[in-house]
Amino acid sequence: MKKILGFCLLLWLFNPVNAQDTGAADELQQKAQRWVEGLKLNDPAKVTKVEQAIATHLTAVRDWHNSHPFTQVPAGLNPATGNKLSDLDRQLIVCSSKPAAIHTALMQVLNAELNSEQVAFILDQYTIGKVAFTLKGYEAIVPDLTEKERAEIRKNLEQAREQAIDYKNMKEISAIFEIYKTKCEQYLNNNGRNWRQLFKNYVDKVKAEKEKKKS
């Protein structure tokens, strides 16, 4: 009996699936540690609490994604566009159905332990700084962007950032940002701008500058 138990234990220890799960968990823990190190906190208890909250959240997001393939959402039409749902659409739908408590638990710790700038820093780590990067794009396309317009665009992008942290990979995160970029462009159109023309002008300008460099 002891030999059988010992053999089963060896199988468990060296099972490739188990080793893979452990490695993935360690990777997420290390990612959380790197992000929190960037805050340069001087409170070990706070560091531990924030690291654990991030690692727990990353793990929950990964596990939900991995156990809920897009095939769980029937193929069909997007009622907003009439187009067939893409595989990415279906993945976003199934991932958006994860318990809200996963998001809430993380944000409660971040908001309790960190100031607003520090919270933004952590959310930027999740989304590789897409708020600042995307805002610069709007500033380039709309050179005379007003402060009111800039504030509205930033608000939309920050909403995208917080929502996007609940998705596993950059393809899904970018898709969330696309939703809010559409809102930004609709806002500009509704307030006297012509987004399509502005974008065309920007593209033409970039092309002209490239041609000038070639010549």
Side-chain angles (χ1 to χ4, degrees), residues 27 32 63 70 115 122 125 140 151 173 185 192-193 201 203 208-209:
E27 183 180 345
D63 290 350
F70 74 90
N115 62 39
I122 293 298
Q125 303 313 299
I173 288 171
E185 290 147 23
R193 300 283 192 176
N201 293 345
V203 171
E209 289 174 350

Side-chain angles (χ1 to χ4, degrees), residues 24 37 41 43-44 62-63 91 94 96 104 108 121 139 153 180-181 183 186 196 214:
E37 283 176 352
L41 301 174
D43 184 335
R62 179 204 63 192
D63 290 350
Q91 187 66 65
V94 73
S96 69
T104 302
Q108 283 180 340
F121 175 85
E139 290 172 339
I153 289 171
Y180 286 87
K181 285 166 66 179
K183 289 185 178 183
Q186 289 173 341
R196 181 174 294 182
K214 286 181 182 179

Side-chain angles (χ1 to χ4, degrees), residues 91-162:
Q91 187 66 65
L92 288 177
I93 292 169
V94 73
C95 284
S96 69
S97 67
K98 66 172 61 67
I102 292 173
H103 181 89
T104 302
L106 171 68
M107 296 308 299
Q108 283 180 340
V109 173
L110 295 185
N111 289 324
E113 301 296 330
L114 306 175
N115 62 39
S116 59
E117 289 183 359
Q118 292 169 329
V119 172
F121 175 85
I122 293 298
L123 300 186
D124 279 335
Q125 303 313 299
Y126 274 91
T127 57
I128 61 169
K130 286 182 77 68
V131 168
F133 176 81
T134 309
L135 182 57
K136 284 183 179 179
Y138 281 110
E139 290 172 339
I141 295 168
V142 191
D144 60 341
L145 199 67
T146 68
E147 285 305 313
K148 183 179 179 181
E149 290 170 333
R150 184 178 286 103
E152 182 66 20
I153 289 171
R154 176 176 285 280
K155 184 187 76 172
N156 282 327
L157 296 178
E158 287 178 352
Q159 288 177 348
R161 177 178 63 190
E162 183 169 339

